[in-house]
Amino acid sequence: MGNRILYYSTNRNLDTIHGIVPFKGKVTFREALLQGQAPDEGLYMPDRIPRIPYEGIVSLKDKPYAEAALLVTRAFLGDEIDAVILRTIIEDSYPFTVPLQKVFDRKYIMRLDQGPTASFKDFAARMMARLMGHFRNKDTRLNVLVATSGDTGSAVGEAFKGIEGIDVNILYPRDEVSERQKKQLDTIGDNVRSLSIDGKFDDCQDLVKQAFSDPSLEYLNFTSANSINFGRILPQTVYYFYAYAQLCRKEESIVASVPSGNFGNALGCEYARRMGLPVQRLVMPTNENDEFPRFLKEGAYEKVSPSLACLSNAMNVGHPSNLARFFDLYGGSVDRTGKVHVYPDIETIRKNIYSVSISDKETKECIKKTYEQYGVILEPHGAVGWRGLEAYLEQYGDFPLCVSLETAHPAKFPNEIMELLDITPEVPDSMKGIDERKGKSLELPADYRIFKEYLTGNLKSGA
Ligand SMILES: *Cc1c(COP(=O)(O)O)cnc(C)c1O
């Protein structure tokens, strides 16, 4: 008990900032998971990072992915959850493989695209959903509200499907999602409902925010399941350990390249290093939204606003939400508007992290070249990761063991792949039959009064 890891807010020291009442306390993992965000709108951070001994890491060689997940998440959760229950949650979360595909020498692509929605977001969303199912107050229902512009919504929806005591409503902008995405969102079924909103993504987000802050709806126990929840960061530390254990020779270190948008995935690697994984360098390539590589180069942070629309569309972020956590880990502080209050130790960041902006042109060239030279098919996000790794190796010289993350399945980008490679990527089982699935969204205007009527008329609060 006494040794539990507790969670504090990244905004705890912002006393001088108008409009923020800093949260000075600490909460348990359970509270951080169910609240999502600290009361001062800061992000929860663990007050201690557990260490995994080197022998423990290498003992994961040839073991199933679930064993790596158990070792790593247990180090954080300790006695907050029973070991047998944690194992059940993990085995239920990961009924799919994590292929490590050799490109050349000992340079690998880790394919995080084998989950039900063929994106790496399945890893975090599935485990978080099951942890919420376990930790929720059993006297009431939990209602998850998500606003999505596409992929996050389906990963979250699929993850919560069938979880007892939790209902999910996903709001998406009617004219801003593709037919395939719409089909994916509308046909999850069971305890997951899709709402097609006659408006933009921002309208969806506004409706969700208004509902969250409406005191007359408190009885509905809303939660957001969004990407800043620490319950989504924790599962993202695991696959770095898994990859290293499968590929390492004794005592060597690894270079990991993580295509980055909101920096949640890369943050998993930063924590993995602090837990004892020998990471030589964390490579964090971005698309043309270059606020972070510019910051590393120039030392001053300036967000990109509005963000630029690039091919790797899940990374079109002008001010990454998890940057506040990176700053905090290196002694700095930045708020959610992008204003820096204390600059972090940039020399140490530069030692640990390399970042570079990859243009759409370079992304396309990389998809072509990697296929022609190695027969490896990448989609735009994975290509940003691989090209970023190449740029690092060009600048710093060769490094024996490298892994670059593929965060989505190429079959999700059939048009781009056809245009560049003149082939149709094979569709994974998880995506087969989507077009035949049945289900319908509820159509609503972007009007809070009507949305609220829907919520009070249809959502349940009791167990
Ligand atoms: C969300 C996403 C990313 C970016 O991950 P972050 O954790 O936001 O940095 C990269 N690729 C794909 C396919 C994604 O869906």
Side-chain angles (χ1 to χ4, degrees):
M1 262 303 284
N3 212 18
R4 263 190 195 172
I5 296 170
L6 296 172
Y7 295 79
Y8 65 82
S9 167
T10 51
N11 282 351
R12 70 202 175 289
N13 294 326
L14 297 189
D15 289 307
T16 52
I17 311 307
H18 185 72
I20 290 183
V21 181
F23 175 67
K24 304 272 185 194
K26 290 184 182 181
V27 301
T28 61
F29 177 81
R30 175 180 187 268
E31 292 166 305
L33 174 77
L34 295 178
Q35 289 172 21
Q37 207 173 37
D40 59 6
E41 297 180 4
L43 279 62
Y44 279 125
M45 300 278 292
D47 66 355
R48 179 169 62 79
I49 297 174
R51 280 195 76 84
I52 304 212
Y54 189 74
E55 311 78 66
I57 300 172
V58 291
S59 76
L60 298 170
K61 187 170 173 57
D62 299 329
K63 297 268 174 63
Y65 184 79
E67 294 303 320
L70 194 62
L71 181 79
V72 174
T73 57
R74 191 150 174 73
F76 266 97
L77 299 175
D79 69 356
E80 268 198 79
I81 185 167
D82 178 80
V84 176
I85 294 175
L86 183 60
R87 178 177 283 279
T88 308
I89 284 175
I90 285 169
E91 287 179 350
D92 200 35
S93 297
Y94 303 118
F96 46 85
T97 58
V98 184
L100 289 157
Q101 181 179 13
K102 182 172 167 162
V103 183
F104 70 94
D105 293 348
R106 295 175 69 225
K107 316 285 186 277
Y108 293 85
I109 298 286
M110 176 157 52
R111 293 208 169 263
L112 303 175
D113 58 1
Q114 304 294 300
T117 70
S119 128
F120 91 98
K121 290 196 169 66
D122 289 328
F123 282 79
R126 290 179 65 78
M127 186 162 176
M128 177 176 69
R130 283 155 185 77
L131 286 169
M132 279 187 168
H134 168 74
F135 280 116
R136 76 188 170 88
N137 180 345
K138 300 296 188 303
D139 301 333
T140 55
R141 295 185 82 75
L142 262 186
N143 279 295
V144 175
L145 289 186
V146 211
T148 185
S149 51
D151 282 357
T152 306
S154 48
V156 169
E158 285 288 348
F160 278 97
K161 180 176 176 155
I163 304 277
E164 205 174 311
I166 304 183
D167 295 321
V168 180
N169 280 275
I170 305 172
L171 291 75
Y172 67 83
R174 185 172 307 171
D175 301 320
E176 289 179 13
V177 301
S178 70
E179 276 307 305
R180 154 92 24 100
Q181 282 174 325
K182 185 172 155 47
K183 194 83 190 172
Q184 248 184 335
L185 290 163
D186 290 349
T187 59
I188 299 171
D190 208 345
N191 55 332
V192 182
R193 186 75 173 277
S194 68
L195 307 177
S196 164
I197 305 293
D198 189 7
K200 301 192 164 309
F201 172 63
D202 289 343
D203 297 317
C204 299
Q205 227 167 3
D206 281 347
L207 291 174
V208 169
K209 277 191 190 152
Q210 284 188 71
F212 279 138
S213 58
D214 189 333
S216 68
L217 295 180
E218 248 170 52
Y219 74 100
L220 287 173
N221 285 310
F222 286 129
T223 188
S224 66
N226 65 19
S227 67
I228 55 169
N229 195 307
F230 192 79
R232 267 179 74 169
I233 302 296
L234 179 58
Q236 294 178 172
T237 58
V238 174
Y239 30 77
Y240 301 100
F241 286 95
Y242 174 78
Y244 178 81
Q246 310 316 311
L247 302 173
C248 73
R249 295 176 185 161
K250 62 172 188 304
E251 307 283 318
E252 76 177 332
S253 44
I254 188 168
V255 169
S257 182
V258 186
S260 292
N262 270 317
F263 291 10
N265 198 1
L267 186 70
C269 187
E270 175 72 29
Y271 278 122
R273 188 175 56 69
R274 288 167 187 255
M275 294 172 82
L277 188 71
V279 178
Q280 174 74 17
R281 196 75 77 108
L282 164 57
V283 179
M284 292 173 56
T286 66
N287 59 26
E288 291 172 29
N289 292 284
D290 65 348
E291 65 284 347
F292 189 63
R294 251 191 309 112
F295 162 63
L296 286 191
K297 195 157 161 225
E298 296 163 9
Y301 180 72
E302 192 195 340
K303 68 179 173 184
V304 174
S305 178
S307 59
L308 305 172
C310 299
L311 267 184
S312 46
N313 56 4
M315 298 173 7
N316 292 338
V317 180
H319 173 49
S321 52
N322 281 295
L323 188 69
R325 285 191 168 114
F326 273 97
F327 268 43
D328 196 274
L329 285 169
Y330 287 93
S333 159
V334 60
D335 66 30
R336 67 189 175 112
T337 68
K339 185 173 159 32
V340 177
H341 299 279
V342 180
Y343 266 98
D345 173 2
I346 194 163
E347 283 314 317
T348 309
I349 299 182
R350 285 177 179 143
K351 227 174 75 218
N352 293 333
I353 298 172
Y354 171 82
S355 185
V356 59
S357 165
I358 307 297
S359 68
D360 275 359
K361 183 164 170 287
E362 292 171 290
T363 305
K364 288 183 181 174
E365 284 167 3
C366 178
I367 293 174
K368 258 179 102 82
K369 194 180 138 225
T370 316
Y371 181 66
E372 282 162 10
Q373 209 167 344
Y374 307 110
V376 171
I377 306 176
L378 297 172
E379 55 68 59
H381 304 82
V384 168
W386 181 256
R387 179 63 208 130
L389 176 62
E390 286 182 337
Y392 171 75
L393 297 175
E394 282 156 20
Q395 193 166 333
Y396 288 88
D398 188 36
F399 195 82
L401 178 58
C402 302
V403 63
S404 183
L405 274 49
E406 178 49 288
T407 49
H409 197 285
K412 290 184 118 171
F413 299 85
N415 300 341
E416 287 83 352
I417 302 291
M418 180 47 109
E419 179 199 317
L420 292 164
L421 308 182
D422 206 22
I423 55 167
T424 306
E426 199 179 323
V427 176
D429 287 345
S430 63
M431 286 173 64
K432 283 184 187 143
I434 284 182
D435 296 333
E436 283 78 55
R437 285 193 340 201
K438 299 249 178 302
K440 247 179 79 171
S441 61
L442 181 71
E443 305 207 348
L444 287 178
D447 177 329
Y448 183 65
R449 200 181 49 80
I450 295 174
F451 179 54
K452 183 171 172 175
E453 261 172 35
Y454 162 77
L455 296 174
T456 51
N458 293 274
L459 270 53
K460 287 174 284 195
S461 62

